[in-house]
Each structure stands twice: as C-alpha cells, then as structure tokens.
Amino acid sequence: LRPGADAEAINAALPAWEKRIIPPQNIGGQMSSQADIMSLELVPVGDVHLGEAQDLALTPGNDARTVATFSIVAVLILVMVSINFVNLATARAGQRAREVALRKVVGASRGQLMVQFLGESILLVGVAMLLALTLVELTTPFFANFLDIELSVDYFGPDGFLLPALGLVAVVGAVGGLYPALYLSGFQPAQVLKANKSSTDAQGSGRLRNILVVTQFAISIGLIVCTAVVYSQTRFVQTVDPGYEREGLIQVEGLWRLHESGNAEAFKREVASLTGVVGAAETNLGIAATNKQINAVQLPGEPDIISIGIYRIAPDFFETMGMRLLAGRALGDSYAKDVIRRSPEGEVLGPPLETRGLNVVLNRRAARLLGFNAPAEALGRQVGITIDGGAMVPSMIVGIVEDTRIRTARDEIEPLIFTYDPAGTDQLIVRYRTASPSAVMSAVERTWSNFLPDVPFEAAFAEDLVAELYQRERARGTIFAVFSVLAVIISCLGLFGLAAFTTERRTKEIGIRKVLGATVRDIVRLLAWQFSKPVILANLIAWPIAWWAMRDWLNTFDVRIPLGPTPFAFAGLLALAIAVGTVAGHAFKVARLNPIHALRYE
C-alpha cells in the first residue's frame, strides 16, 4: 500500500470493486456474478501465520487459538507454583515468629520487614528463572524438531525476551511473596515474646491455605480432564470411517506433467499391470485434499443457485478408492455424455457441453442438498452445472456414491459432483493388495522414472497422508499431556510440603491420640481425610469449567466423541488417589513415631 493508506477503508470498498471488475453471466436464465460468492480482504503479512489466510503458504501456519490455549495453560501452571510458594511460606512463617518479633523490638518497621521478605521471594524467583532459561536452551532443539518449526533463543533485540524475563521475575516474585510478607510482618512482638512462642499461626491463615489448595487441585483436575478429552478425540478422528478403504492406497502427485506429454494413459496402464496392484485411477481430488473447486449448480425451474464442489475423476475412481455406490452406475466410456474430451490446450472437443449435455455422479450430501431425500430419487434428474466458468450445462445424474471425508475431521463432509474429465486430473490413486507395500511403491517409482526421468517422484501411502494431516493435533495433545503431568507434580510437591508442616505442628496432638488408643491406621486416615476434602471440593469446581472448555473445543470438529462422564470421573479419582498417596506416606511415617517423644517435645 502507499504510505498512509487506510487498509480498512480499502477493505470496505472491495465488495463494490469486485462487482465492477467481475462481469455478470447469464446462468440459468438469470444474470449472476462470481462476485456474489467471492470475498476479498487485505490481511497484514504478519497475521498470515496465525490467521485464516494460510492457503498455499510457504510454510505451515498455526492458529491463534492454539497459542492462546498454551499461554493460558502456562499462566495456570505459574499460578500453581505461586500458590505453592504462598502455602509453604505461610505454613513456615509461624516458625519465624520469634525472629520477626525480635527484629521489631530492635527497631525494624513493618515496611522494612516487608521489603526483606519480598526481596527473599524475588531472589528465589530470580534463581528459578536462571534454571528455567538453562532448561529453555537445552530443550529448544527438541521442541523445534518435535513441532517441525524453527525456534531460536534470543535475549536481545526486538524479539529478545531478556526484559520480559526480568519483568516476569519481578511480577511473580511480588505476587507470590506479597501475602507472606504482609502476614509475616504483621506479627505482634509483645504477644509472641510474652507467650515465649517460637511459632504462631494467624487466624484465618489455615482457611486461606485450604482455599489455595482447592484452587491448585482444581487447575490440575481441569488439565487432566482436558488432556483425556484431547487424547481421545485425536485418536478418534484418525480412526473414524472416512467413507473409503484407506488401507492399501498410494497417491502419486504430478500427473499433469504426463498429461502435457500425452503419456498419462500409458503410465496408468503400466502402473495397473504391476505385481500387487489391483487398480489405478486419475483424479484431482486426492486423499487429504487441500484444493477446492466451487461451481454454480441449479435445479431446473428453481431460481436459487447452489455452490457445490465439482471434481474430475476417471471411471474406475470409485472402485479404486473403495467408495460405495448407493444407486445408479459409475461413469465410463460406454456413454458419450459421460466423458469430457479436451485438446492439449484444455479446450473441450466436439459439440459445446451446454448443447450436448453431460452425465455426472453425486455423493449423498450433494443429492440431499439438491432436495433428494433418497439416493434413488436423484437418478435421471437433470441439474444445471457451470463447467470452466461458462454457461450452464444440462447434466443428468446417473449415480450416487456414499459420502467420503477427504479433508480433516474439523471440516464438514462436502457435497461433491464428479465428472469424467481425464485431462483435468493431476493425481493417480493406486490400489494394491500385497504383503510388501514398499515393493509396490518402488515399482511405481521405477515406472515414473521410465516416463519422466528428470522429474522427482512424489507419492505417499494414504495412511501417511492422513497421519500428516493430524500431525499437529497429535503434537498439541502430547504437549498438553506434558503440561498436565507437570501440573500434577507441582500439586503433589506443594501438598507434600504442606502435609509435612501440618503433621510436624500436630506432633503433640498425634502423640495424645496414640496414648488414648488411636492406631496408626486411624492417624493416617485422619490426616488423609483432612487433605482429601479440598480435592473433592476442587472436583466440583473444575468439572463444569473443564466441561465448558472441552465442549467449545469439540464443537470445532465435524465429528467428535461424546463428552461423557468418564474423563471427569477419571480425573477426579486420579487426583484424589494422588493426594491421598502423597499425604498418606508422610502421615504413616509420623503416626509410627513413639508418642513418648512427641509428649516430651516441650
């Protein structure tokens, strides 16, 4: 754009500009323009990677939703760490009661004490940041390879994160240490020294720690639920029935090169005769397709024009793919109106299509979109179809095939119309049945080299194409699982430390209980139940939030698993088992101590 140009103003003017430069056409007796189904918009180049304008991008993009999701997860884990710090700091703060009291007696103000404790917190976070940056340096190559992206660690410059890291140290240190600083500096020296206390606990601090434990485990349970749902959905979309037989297929790219040299049919025949190959067919709608070709379709006598994808195939395409024919027949060479013959320049040979007519095959979704409830109802019916952007071609429906999922599970199954137009195909689908798929692939490659020795051979198994389609989904699920495990570990560490302090402060109580007849089992059950209640409450908080988040995420898929109670029950029981296991080990150790030592403690 020119300097100072307003991109938004240009975007607002584009619809009218489209109608001016795209002339209307007489489609089905009415004037219509491609501008009616086209939307142009200026997009900043920097927004392409995370935006919607990623078709034919030089490198694979991403989406802002994923980045936002993992940023939120990172913040939640940081919150859990801060909760641990606050919990343990306030639990341990009672042991510093006499220290604080003596400092105040010798003249320290509350502000000075707050600065001291905040400084301790920030220093601790600063050391943690140094360790974190070390881990980032060590793990960056692994993550870059795992995600198949370029990652670099830059501390200086416009993309450097040294200043953000220092800011994070200050913010986390201040947020995590603010309450402990206020709590510690608030001790009254007279009360502590008069009572000769070496420890104390402010009223309400135990309630705060319980609230923080509930928050921490709610985050952990929510992440476990999300991980279970993401993992189940990722596995489901890779195994869902695509409507064709996925195993035993090879897709060869670049067939248009052979069309240019006039050798496409000969290449197909030689591939079909290879050992282990049972079928080969041309198409321009391959497995895991990214191309879209939308044409205008109209029923006779209907004013409305429908946009449907029209793709070119060979007669044996449906059989090769393993697509089920629901009604009618496939296209072939036996009927003149089945095939579109073209010159090397792409011009249609013979009478114009709008004069002679055309036979087509629809999938179930296209037939339903055109108003046919049953496949058999569509047979013999005529529709108007635009071919090559020209006038409406009267087309007879001669067959209906089952719907197929040719794109990701996030995309709806498309309505499709198939035409027998061999010159417009650019992929060869090969069906094989043999115990050695690699041998078939090598044989196809040798055949390609015989025809085009100077052109690289590009082909892939259908399973690999689908796996590549969901590679990023799997990577995201794996990273989410790692985050969840990390969150659970952090929760366990905090709960273990809190349990250690709690049982230490209740040493005399435990001793008295044992003297009065309590067994080791009773003591362990008492302490385990005390720490189980916050976890149970955390489930009640985490479940509805996780359900809402996962329902919203699953709605981005056309096919999805039902959001049942299993992942929620699994997450709740797992968190409860982890909490009980974490506390019970320490409680068992304390409960086995001789009560004499506990009662002689003071």
Side-chain angles (χ1 to χ4, degrees):
L1 301 183
R2 295 192 185 100
D6 187 352
E8 292 303 322
I10 296 175
N11 278 336
L14 280 176
W17 176 78
E18 294 170 27
K19 291 187 176 181
R20 287 199 307 270
I21 69 163
I22 302 176
Q25 297 171 280
N26 189 332
I27 301 178
Q30 67 180 34
M31 301 303 291
S32 181
S33 172
Q34 291 288 335
D36 297 332
I37 60 172
M38 182 185 297
S39 177
L40 301 181
E41 181 181 356
L42 298 179
V43 176
V45 173
D47 293 349
V48 170
H49 181 68
L50 296 180
E52 297 178 355
Q54 296 184 21
D55 287 347
L56 302 179
L58 295 178
T59 57
N62 211 319
D63 62 281
R65 187 189 184 102
T66 299
V67 176
T69 298
F70 285 118
S71 299
I72 291 172
V73 171
V75 170
L76 289 176
I77 290 179
L78 200 57
V79 168
M80 294 177 65
V81 174
S82 299
I83 288 174
N84 269 355
F85 182 79
V86 172
N87 272 338
L88 298 181
T90 53
R92 184 175 175 271
Q95 310 301 322
R96 303 181 68 175
R98 184 176 294 171
E99 172 199 344
V100 173
L102 290 174
R103 286 181 181 274
K104 283 192 169 184
V105 167
V106 298
S109 66
R110 186 173 187 180
Q112 291 173 325
L113 291 171
M114 287 183 62
V115 170
Q116 174 196 340
F117 296 130
L118 279 174
E120 291 177 1
S121 172
I122 293 174
L123 179 62
L124 181 64
V125 176
V127 174
M129 178 59 77
L130 291 176
L131 294 175
L133 293 177
T134 303
L135 287 174
V136 168
E137 291 276 6
L138 293 174
T139 57
T140 293
F142 167 76
F143 277 105
N145 181 65
F146 179 72
L147 297 174
D148 193 24
I149 57 177
E150 293 184 11
L151 290 177
S152 61
V153 181
D154 298 318
Y155 295 99
F156 303 99
D159 297 327
F161 58 84
L162 181 60
L163 290 179
L166 294 177
L168 192 61
V169 168
V171 171
V172 175
V175 171
L178 184 60
Y179 179 80
L182 290 170
Y183 173 57
L184 282 166
S185 62
F187 288 154
Q188 297 299 320
Q191 295 179 4
V192 174
L193 298 178
K194 184 177 180 180
N196 193 28
K197 291 183 178 180
S198 62
S199 64
T200 187
D201 204 355
Q203 184 177 1
S205 61
R207 188 179 301 112
L208 174 67
R209 284 196 290 272
N210 284 334
I211 292 173
L212 293 179
V213 168
V214 169
T215 304
Q216 189 178 56
F217 269 92
I219 294 173
S220 297
I221 292 166
L223 289 176
I224 293 172
V225 170
C226 294
T227 300
V229 173
V230 169
Y231 174 78
S232 300
Q233 174 66 11
T234 302
R235 285 186 56 86
F236 174 73
V237 297
Q238 293 183 79
T239 56
V240 68
D241 182 14
Y244 62 91
E245 188 181 346
R246 184 178 293 164
E247 291 77 15
L249 283 182
I250 294 175
Q251 181 169 293
V252 182
E253 303 288 345
L255 194 64
W256 60 271
R257 298 178 182 275
L258 290 163
H259 281 301
E260 288 183 344
S261 61
N263 292 322
E265 188 62 30
F267 173 73
K268 172 188 171 182
R269 285 197 302 268
E270 287 206 23
V271 169
S273 65
L274 294 174
T275 302
V277 174
V278 295
E282 308 100 301
T283 183
N284 71 333
L285 183 67
I287 303 163
T290 58
N291 61 309
K292 289 188 177 182
Q293 298 181 0
I294 304 300
N295 293 54
V297 179
Q298 187 179 37
L299 283 169
E302 295 290 337
D304 296 331
I305 293 177
I306 303 173
S307 297
I308 298 181
I310 299 181
Y311 296 93
R312 302 162 179 177
I313 60 168
D316 41 6
F317 173 75
F318 303 126
E319 182 180 358
T320 302
M321 287 285 291
M323 295 169 61
R324 190 159 58 95
L325 190 65
L326 300 178
R329 63 174 178 83
L331 301 171
D333 293 309
S334 302
Y335 300 86
K337 291 184 179 181
D338 278 11
V339 62
I340 301 175
R341 303 290 182 187
R342 295 180 183 271
S343 67
E345 292 75 26
E347 299 293 331
V348 176
L349 300 177
L353 292 177
E354 55 267 26
T355 302
R356 69 153 216 194
L358 186 66
N359 293 335
V360 296
V361 172
L362 280 61
N363 71 345
R364 184 197 291 267
R365 182 66 60 90
R368 191 178 296 118
L369 184 62
L370 291 172
F372 306 112
N373 295 321
E377 293 180 14
L379 295 181
R381 299 294 296 272
Q382 186 169 291
V383 296
I385 298 175
T386 57
I387 301 294
D388 300 337
M392 279 285 184
V393 175
S395 304
M396 185 76 69
I397 302 173
V398 299
I400 303 294
V401 295
E402 186 58 271
D403 292 333
T404 53
R405 189 169 298 281
I406 56 174
R407 308 189 196 278
T408 71
R410 292 185 183 272
D411 303 307
E412 291 186 14
I413 292 179
E414 296 178 36
L416 303 174
I417 296 178
F418 299 98
T419 63
Y420 178 16
D421 191 355
T425 59
D426 51 18
Q427 294 158 324
L428 183 70
I429 304 297
V430 180
R431 167 71 64 185
Y432 64 88
R433 301 194 189 282
T434 178
S436 180
S438 59
V440 175
M441 179 69 83
S442 299
V444 175
E445 182 175 6
R446 287 193 297 271
T447 306
W448 176 275
S449 298
N450 293 336
F451 283 87
L452 294 172
D454 299 328
V455 178
F457 176 69
E458 293 182 55
F461 294 103
E463 297 93 329
D464 295 337
L465 290 170
V466 174
E468 184 179 353
L469 199 64
Y470 295 107
Q471 180 181 2
R472 290 186 178 274
E473 296 286 351
R474 292 197 306 274
R476 291 166 188 164
T478 302
I479 295 177
F480 213 98
V482 171
F483 278 149
S484 299
V485 171
L486 180 61
V488 171
I489 292 174
I490 292 171
S491 298
C492 292
L493 290 175
L495 193 62
F496 183 82
L498 199 57
F501 278 112
T502 301
T503 51
E504 180 182 348
R505 303 180 88 172
R506 298 177 67 176
T507 302
K508 179 179 282 189
E509 174 196 341
I510 293 172
I512 294 174
R513 287 180 180 275
K514 293 193 70 173
V515 168
L516 294 177
T519 63
V520 172
R521 180 180 178 182
D522 295 330
I523 302 298
V524 172
R525 185 167 54 191
L526 173 69
L527 295 175
W529 172 242
Q530 177 186 349
F531 285 97
S532 298
K533 288 186 287 185
V535 178
I536 295 174
L537 181 59
N539 277 289
L540 301 179
I541 297 173
W543 284 350
I545 297 175
W547 178 84
W548 175 80
M550 287 296 96
R551 183 199 62 174
D552 187 49
W553 180 74
L554 287 173
N555 283 340
T556 62
F557 290 86
D558 181 52
V559 289
R560 49 191 176 268
I561 60 172
L563 194 57
T566 303
F568 300 91
F570 168 76
L573 292 174
L574 179 62
L576 186 62
I578 290 172
V580 171
T582 301
V583 174
H586 194 79
F588 182 76
K589 178 181 177 182
V590 174
R592 292 186 61 191
L593 295 177
N594 192 326
I596 294 177
H597 299 299
L599 297 178
R600 290 178 59 191
Y601 175 66
E602 293 184 349

